[in-house]
């Protein structure tokens, strides 16, 4: 469905009416919005409203998996896309060598967490323990740095990788963005709205949030 009309013609009114009917028929609805058109409906229907504000910044944890599990192939691909976007933005292509090494990094990260979980000898002060960006970054700068072969270092700019990702690590400018302690699945939320008005023009936050929401929706 494509709803088209000039300003004030009733597009949002119609969609609000339609969404309420669908919710009353037990549909699951996920909305990505700019402009706050669905705030009242979300509150009225008991939905979950995600919004980026100065007081309440939008946060996610795309690294989360239940203890002892790992990402499936599709989830790994989404995580690679996210990490590469953090590293090089949307305008640069990834080489086959970088792709292979990044795949190795993600697989090794979850193997490390699972191995420590199984043996119950997790050194929490060394690697963060829980699957989130903080522990991923600590793994990259300690364990994975030692796993990189000399020939791999030729194709993978490890210094650039660490430097560009550091703002998303604790203490950094965007340390809240990928380290949420609130785990959620869209499948468990009959109605949720992502309000992106405050970040729609942000060159760093918007692409990341869009990727995370897409990944959550696909999952």
């Amino acid at each position: 469905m494509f709803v088209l009309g000039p300003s004030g013609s009733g597009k949002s009114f119609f969609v609000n009416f339609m969404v309420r009917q669908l919710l009353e028929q037990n549909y699951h609805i996920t909305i990505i919005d700019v402009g706050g058109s669905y705030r009242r409906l979300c509150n009225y229907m008991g939905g979950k409203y995600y919004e980026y504000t100065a007081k309440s910044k939008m946060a996610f944890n795309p690294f989360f998996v239940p203890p002892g599990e790992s990402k499936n192939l599709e989830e790994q691909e989404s995580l690679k896309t996210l990490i590469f976007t953090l590293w090089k933005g949307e305008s640069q292509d990834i080489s086959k060598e970088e792709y292979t090494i990044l795949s190795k990094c993600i697989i090794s990260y979850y193997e490390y967490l699972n191995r420590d979980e199984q043996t119950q000898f997790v050194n929490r002060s060394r690697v963060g323990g829980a699957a989130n960006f903080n522990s991923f970054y600590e793994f990259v700068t300690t364990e994975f740095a030692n796993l990189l072969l000399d020939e791999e270092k030729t194709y993978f700019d490890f210094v650039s990788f660490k430097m560009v990702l550091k703002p998303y690590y604790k203490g950094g400018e965007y340390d809240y963005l990928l380290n949420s302690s609130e785990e959620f699945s869209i499948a468990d939320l009959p109605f949720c709205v992502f309000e992106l008005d405050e970040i729609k023009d942000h060159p760093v936050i918007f692409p990341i949030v869009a990727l995370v929401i897409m990944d959550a929706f696909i999952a």
Side-chain angles (χ1 to χ4, degrees):
M1 178 185 293
F2 181 57
V3 183
L4 177 66
S7 179
S9 60
K11 299 183 299 296
S12 296
F13 180 86
F14 163 71
V15 175
N16 268 279
F17 180 76
M18 180 183 66
V19 167
R20 177 175 174 176
Q21 285 193 323
L22 293 174
L23 289 169
E24 289 174 344
Q25 297 174 60
N26 295 320
Y27 278 78
H28 277 222
I29 305 292
T30 300
I31 293 178
I32 300 174
D33 186 38
V34 172
S37 299
Y38 305 97
R39 185 191 303 273
R40 289 184 179 179
L41 180 64
C42 191
N43 291 337
Y44 179 74
M45 300 300 292
K48 183 70 174 179
Y49 199 85
Y50 291 94
E51 183 178 22
Y52 189 102
T53 66
K55 294 182 178 180
S56 178
K57 295 183 171 75
M58 195 176 288
F60 304 91
N61 183 5
F63 292 84
F64 173 77
V65 291
E69 296 185 19
S70 187
K71 296 281 189 183
N72 60 37
L73 291 177
E74 186 176 31
E75 291 170 336
Q76 287 181 19
E77 289 302 312
S78 297
L79 201 52
K80 290 174 203 173
T81 301
L82 173 64
I83 295 171
F84 188 73
T85 301
L86 296 178
W87 182 19
K88 294 194 174 183
E90 300 175 284
S91 59
Q92 298 187 52
D93 295 327
I94 186 171
S95 68
K96 290 184 178 179
E97 292 83 5
E98 289 172 327
Y99 176 86
T100 301
I101 295 169
L102 191 55
S103 297
K104 174 181 176 180
C105 179
I106 292 172
I107 293 171
S108 300
Y109 168 65
Y110 285 103
E111 287 178 346
Y112 182 84
L113 291 182
N114 290 341
R115 186 169 63 248
D116 283 339
E117 188 71 30
Q118 291 166 5
T119 57
Q120 297 183 1
F121 288 115
V122 183
N123 186 342
R124 301 296 185 186
S125 62
R126 183 175 168 192
V127 174
N132 53 33
F133 184 83
N134 282 341
S135 68
F136 173 76
Y137 186 81
E138 291 172 6
F139 170 81
V140 166
T141 56
T142 55
E143 299 294 323
F144 188 66
N146 297 326
L147 290 175
L148 271 178
L149 304 176
D150 289 338
E151 59 191 42
E152 291 176 327
K153 294 177 182 178
T154 304
Y155 296 99
F156 196 85
D157 191 342
F158 191 66
V159 174
S160 168
F161 189 68
K162 290 194 301 180
M163 186 180 300
V164 175
L165 264 60
K166 192 170 184 179
Y168 305 93
Y169 179 65
K170 58 186 176 184
E173 183 179 2
Y174 306 111
D175 62 353
Y176 58 88
L177 193 57
L178 301 174
N179 289 293
S180 173
S181 58
E182 180 186 5
E183 312 301 345
F184 76 95
S185 168
I186 288 179
D188 299 327
L189 299 173
F191 184 34
C192 64
V193 178
F194 296 95
E195 171 55 58
L196 306 184
D197 194 44
E198 288 293 320
I199 60 172
K200 65 182 185 297
D201 298 318
H202 198 290
V204 176
I205 299 177
F206 179 78
I208 297 171
V209 169
L211 280 172
V212 173
I213 294 174
M214 289 166 58
D215 178 45
F217 184 80
I218 291 171

